[in-house]
């Protein structure tokens, strides 16, 4: 198959990798003692802290992925026989809980309608009922990539704090970090986990964990089996120890450059860009939805993710075929349904290194495919996205012109 020009990658991970990050990796391996590597490693550890919203936490970087980071969070703080509370968010709360179970941990699942965010009051009620403090941690997913629902990590912290229960607060922000606010210190988060290939704009290959002082304290008495993931092994200034062996140099050069890009743009601007791109996608989907065959899965607008939109499809529509055609014929990757939504949804990722024309291109590819497959939809989704983006850009343009005038005056 001849393929000209660019395609678009709109999976919610791995995400589009910026040229600057690709170029940072296009180099020879270097000596593990080389000062240039040391500087890149140090920048990765220090540069991740503002992204996590922490000055206090300790960061661990693994050659691994989000699943590795999950395992690190569990293996370093828990012991067999411990109990954890896992609010049900979708495919990823299930996956994290299954991993905990394989460590002999008793998971109390807090059931939830997957179209809405976790109710913090329900978490508080579970903790209040746990008079003997058997629950050692709350394991909360920030954005469940399977549903496109973003859970209110700050409100859940406030609810947990109000109970006075000592459970650790562990948050999977693999799909949310770098797309919306994350304040590890201010929100009382004890363990935060992420991976390199989503909002951080890097290739897959790094799992990242941030641990609070309370988590490091719990680590001392936790007896879960661990070696590669062991925080104690890794709290070492020698990089060979900090990485549990050879440092994944090229991924570190990638992350070093990606963090530089994040610093240049600024976190607030990054979150704003993500919101605008997400909103453009939602405007388009809402128009298509008028045809009656599809719609945004997340019920409440305020709970819709900045990073991924899950789109339910009606009975009789095959999202697997849609996804295949969009990829093969329109060079645009969207993701399929996961967990309860397998075969009943597709997902448009809109996180990481993306801009407006890229999103408009992806939306146009999807709309073309809806048309091609005769899937009932209202035409004009892309036009709605254009209208929304034009409105935002108009405001930006006016502000830029006003600033210029002010400078000239
Ligand atoms: C992608 C993802 C994971 C898993 O990350 P991997 O790097 O694929 O192991 C975990 N949780 C969430 C919310 C994710 O989006």
């Amino acid at each position: 198959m001849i393929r000209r020009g660019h395609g678009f990658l709109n999976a919610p991970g791995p995400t589009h990798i910026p040229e600057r990050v690709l170029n940072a990796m296009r180099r020879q391996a270097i000596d593990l003692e080389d000062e240039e590597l040391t500087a890149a490693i140090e920048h990765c550890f220090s540069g991740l802290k503002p992204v996590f919203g922490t000055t206090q936490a300790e960061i661990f970087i693994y050659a691994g992925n989000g699943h590795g980071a999950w395992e690190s969070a569990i293996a370093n703080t828990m012991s067999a026989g411990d109990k954890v509370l896992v609010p049900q968010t979708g495919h990823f709360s299930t996956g994290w809980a299954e991993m905990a179970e394989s460590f002999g941990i008793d998971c109390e699942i807090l059931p939830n309608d997957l179209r809405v965010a976790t109710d913090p009051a329900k978490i508080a009620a579970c903790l209040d009922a746990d008079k003997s403090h058997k629950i050692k941690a709350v394991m909360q997913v920030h954005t469940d990539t399977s549903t496109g629902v973003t859970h209110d990590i700050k409100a859940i912290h406030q609810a947990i704090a109000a109970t006075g229960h000592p459970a650790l607060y562990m948050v999977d922000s693999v799909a949310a970090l770098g797309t919306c606010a994350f304040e590890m210190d201010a929100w009382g988060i004890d363990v935060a986990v992420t991976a390199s290939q989503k909002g951080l704009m890097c290739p897959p290959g790094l799992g990242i964990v941030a641990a609070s002082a309370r988590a490091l304290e719990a680590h001392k008495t936790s007896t879960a089996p661990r070696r590669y993931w062991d925080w104690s092994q890794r709290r070492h200034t020698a990089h060979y120890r900090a990485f549990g062996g050879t440092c994944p140099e090229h991924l570190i050069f990638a992350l070093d450059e990606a963090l530089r890009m994040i610093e240049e743009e600024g976190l607030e601007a990054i979150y704003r860009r993500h919101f605008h791109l997400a909103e453009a996608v939602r405007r388009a989907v809402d128009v298509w939805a008028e045809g009656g065959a599809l719609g945004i899965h997340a019920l409440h607008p305020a709970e819709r993710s900045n990073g991924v939109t899950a789109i339910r499809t009606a009975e009789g529509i095959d999202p697997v075929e849609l996804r295949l055609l969009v990829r093969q014929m329109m060079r645009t990757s969207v993701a399929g349904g996961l967990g309860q939504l397998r075969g009943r949804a597709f997902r448009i990722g809109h996180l990481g290194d993306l801009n407006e024309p890229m999103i408009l291109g992806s939306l146009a590819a999807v709309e073309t495919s809806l048309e091609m497959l005769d899937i009932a939809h209202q035409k004009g989704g892309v036009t709605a996205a254009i209208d929304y983006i034009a409105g935002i850009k108009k405001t930006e343009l006016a502000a830029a012109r006003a600033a210029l005038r002010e400078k000239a005056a």
Side-chain angles (χ1 to χ4, degrees), residues 66-357:
H67 281 72
W70 272 354
E71 180 156 345
S72 167
I74 295 163
N76 279 291
T77 58
M78 305 281 156
S79 307
D82 279 354
K83 186 173 171 181
V84 295
L85 179 65
V86 187
Q88 184 191 18
T89 61
H91 184 68
F92 290 93
S93 67
T94 304
W96 204 8
E98 282 173 1
M99 188 174 272
E101 277 164 3
S102 68
F103 278 83
I105 289 156
D106 172 20
C107 295
E108 178 180 343
I109 309 292
L110 175 59
N112 195 30
D113 174 346
L114 298 188
R115 299 189 62 182
V116 304
T118 304
D119 179 357
K122 289 189 182 161
I123 295 178
C126 291
L127 295 178
D128 275 332
D130 178 39
K131 299 285 178 230
S132 56
H133 295 171
K134 283 213 156 46
I135 296 173
K136 289 289 181 281
V138 176
M139 293 182 6
Q140 175 71 44
V141 176
H142 190 177
T143 293
D144 198 304
T145 324
S146 66
T147 64
V149 172
T150 295
H151 300 264
D152 192 337
I153 297 305
K154 180 183 179 183
I156 294 169
H157 153 63
Q158 288 166 338
I160 295 173
T163 65
H165 192 290
L168 294 175
Y169 186 23
M170 314 216 296
V171 178
D172 166 353
S173 196
V174 179
L177 198 80
T179 74
C180 61
F182 194 86
E183 296 293 340
M184 179 154 182
D185 293 350
W187 300 348
I189 296 164
D190 294 299
V191 183
V193 306
T194 198
S196 50
Q197 79 277 19
K198 301 195 182 182
L200 294 177
M201 309 184 289
C202 288
L206 297 177
I208 302 166
V209 177
S212 74
R214 242 161 55 86
L216 292 166
E217 199 52 41
H219 172 70
K220 289 183 187 160
T221 52
S222 125
T223 60
R226 58 186 176 239
R227 181 68 187 189
Y228 181 71
W229 307 108
D230 194 338
W231 293 346
S232 299
Q233 293 292 326
R234 284 170 177 262
R235 297 180 80 185
H236 206 283
T237 49
H239 297 140
Y240 199 79
R241 292 281 300 276
F243 283 94
T246 302
C247 161
E249 296 182 335
H250 291 77
L251 289 166
I252 288 296
F253 291 132
L255 181 60
D256 175 39
E257 187 64 20
L259 288 168
R260 230 176 281 286
M261 292 175 69
I262 288 171
E263 287 152 14
E264 286 165 13
E265 186 175 1
L267 288 169
E268 289 306 320
I270 291 172
Y271 304 154
R272 214 164 35 243
R273 173 169 56 80
H274 276 88
F275 177 81
H276 289 155
L277 296 179
E279 190 57 26
V281 171
R282 296 189 281 255
R283 298 283 173 112
V285 178
D286 280 343
V287 171
W288 297 335
E290 286 169 35
L294 49 85
I296 297 178
H297 173 74
L299 211 50
H300 304 306
E303 296 172 359
R304 290 174 178 167
S305 158
N306 269 4
V308 56
T309 298
I311 299 155
R312 272 178 300 105
T313 50
E315 206 69 49
I317 291 172
D318 182 2
V320 178
E321 184 186 30
L322 173 69
R323 184 185 169 209
L324 192 72
L325 276 187
V326 178
R327 188 174 76 238
Q328 291 188 340
M329 298 183 72
M330 297 302 296
R331 300 285 309 277
T332 298
S333 283
V334 298
L338 281 179
Q340 291 183 10
L341 290 172
R342 190 171 292 279
R344 297 170 51 211
F346 66 99
R347 296 172 298 142
I348 300 178
H350 34 80
L351 74 168
D353 182 49
L354 292 175
N355 60 27
E356 293 82 357

Side-chain angles (χ1 to χ4, degrees), residues 38-55 57 59 61 255-256 259 263:
T38 305
I41 290 171
E42 282 170 4
H43 179 230
C44 287
F45 281 109
S46 66
L48 281 166
K49 288 194 172 180
V51 185
F52 278 110
T54 185
T55 56
I59 309 272
I61 303 175
L255 181 60
D256 175 39
L259 288 168
E263 287 152 14

Side-chain angles (χ1 to χ4, degrees), residues 8-32:
F8 294 109
L9 179 57
N10 285 88
T15 63
H16 182 261
I17 305 170
E19 291 297 320
R20 276 175 63 177
V21 171
L22 289 173
N23 289 337
M25 292 187 294
R26 207 255 153 254
R27 58 178 295 169
Q28 197 43 261
I30 62 174
D31 190 305
L32 289 172

